[in-house]
């Protein structure tokens, strides 16, 4: 009968986690400064436009509500 290998107790190893995190961050392709700025501006523009669209639709529903319910 073959002996089983001793089972290791699962748990959190901070040192191993830090080493693995550092290795994974080394694999990341980071954006250039220009790419980061242009994409950030695009996101802010889309959020602003979306907010104005929601505000406009809300105003339209308020007008409809007043017309229907007085």
């Amino acid at each position: 009968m073959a002996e089983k290998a001793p089972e290791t107790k699962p748990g959190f190893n901070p040192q191993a986690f830090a080493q693995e995190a550092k290795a994974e961050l080394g694999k990341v392709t980071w954006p250039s400064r220009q790419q980061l700025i242009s994409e950030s501006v695009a996101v802010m523009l889309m959020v602003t436009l979306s907010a104005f669209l929601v505000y406009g639709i809300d105003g339209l529903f308020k007008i409809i509500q007043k017309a229907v319910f007085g």
Side-chain angles (χ1 to χ4, degrees), residues 57-70:
I57 292 171
D58 182 56
L60 180 64
F61 279 125
K62 284 182 183 179
I63 292 170
I64 294 171
Q65 177 191 13
K66 285 184 181 182
V68 172
F69 299 111

Side-chain angles (χ1 to χ4, degrees), residues 18-33:
Q19 289 173 346
E20 291 173 15
K22 185 176 179 182
E24 289 298 320
L25 285 173
K27 297 177 187 177
V28 173
T29 303
W30 298 100
S32 66
R33 178 182 286 279

Side-chain angles (χ1 to χ4, degrees), residues 11-57:
F12 179 70
N13 183 345
Q15 185 178 9
F17 176 78
Q19 289 173 346
E20 291 173 15
K22 185 176 179 182
E24 289 298 320
L25 285 173
K27 297 177 187 177
V28 173
T29 303
W30 298 100
S32 66
R33 178 182 286 279
Q34 182 61 37
Q35 185 180 9
L36 180 67
I37 291 170
S38 66
E39 291 180 7
S40 297
V41 168
V43 168
M44 288 187 280
L45 180 63
M46 290 305 297
V47 168
T48 302
L49 290 174
S50 298
F52 278 120
L53 179 65
V54 169
Y55 181 76
I57 292 171

